[in-house]
Amino acid sequence: MPAQVKVAVNYAALEETELVTLARRGDGDAFRAIMKLGNQRLFRVARAVVREDAEAEDVVQEAYLRAFTNLNSFRGEASIFTWLMRITINEANGRLRKRRPSVGLDQIEATQARGAHVIMFPNVDPTMTPESDAARAQIRRMLETAIDELPEAFRVVFVMRDIEECSIAETAEALDVLPETVKSRLHRARRLLREALSEHLASTMAEAFPFLGSRCDRIIEMVLQRLEALSA
């Protein structure tokens, strides 16, 4: 009897339900494909809660282990990634509770009184200079710091909605809150972020449009060369 030939599977092309079916059978490549699709989203959500890269990685690993060892409890009523996000959030919150007490939302909301607009940043320009690259990196760090300083409940919703672009329904499902709560927290997160960024930007306004280093030296040399040519 001829030996059976194993058919190669293109896991990247499989539907989510097919990956879950294979994972339930213990297919390691299906687990790998699910993790590749979910890693960034789960890391960002975990990072939004614990605010530390290394611990966020630990949270994601633990969430995967819990999920994959209990995969039969996944009923398929929502996306596998919504289910994974919920497990990740629960794991992150569990660690956070061991670290420090939470702050009441009523205290946070009582401090908010101004309008709600988000400061938008331009898209990446492929012709950016090293100077503008450095400036963009500084803006990114500023933004990350401001997001980190948001209260946890608002920070998680902001990351899920505005960074990961999860739907309101998906965010509400993962956080086990009402859609109206998601909308309210996102509104307040944007308001707090705008206020924080305004303060950071005001302190660096004097450094805008720098003209130092090689650009400064270059124009000096060009002017001197032209003066020399005129006086010749």
Side-chain angles (χ1 to χ4, degrees), residues 176-227:
D176 195 22
V177 297
L178 295 172
E180 290 74 18
T181 303
V182 171
K183 294 176 185 178
S184 174
R185 290 182 184 179
L186 180 61
H187 175 84
R188 290 174 171 84
R190 287 172 172 172
R191 177 184 298 170
L192 286 173
L193 189 59
R194 175 186 178 275
E195 293 170 3
L197 288 173
S198 293
E199 291 178 8
H200 286 301
L201 290 172
S203 66
T204 58
M205 197 70 73
E207 299 173 11
F209 306 111
F211 199 80
L212 303 172
S214 60
R215 290 194 297 172
C216 179
D217 294 338
R218 186 172 63 250
I219 197 170
I220 290 172
E221 291 305 317
M222 288 176 63
V223 170
L224 290 175
Q225 288 173 17
R226 293 183 68 180
L227 285 173

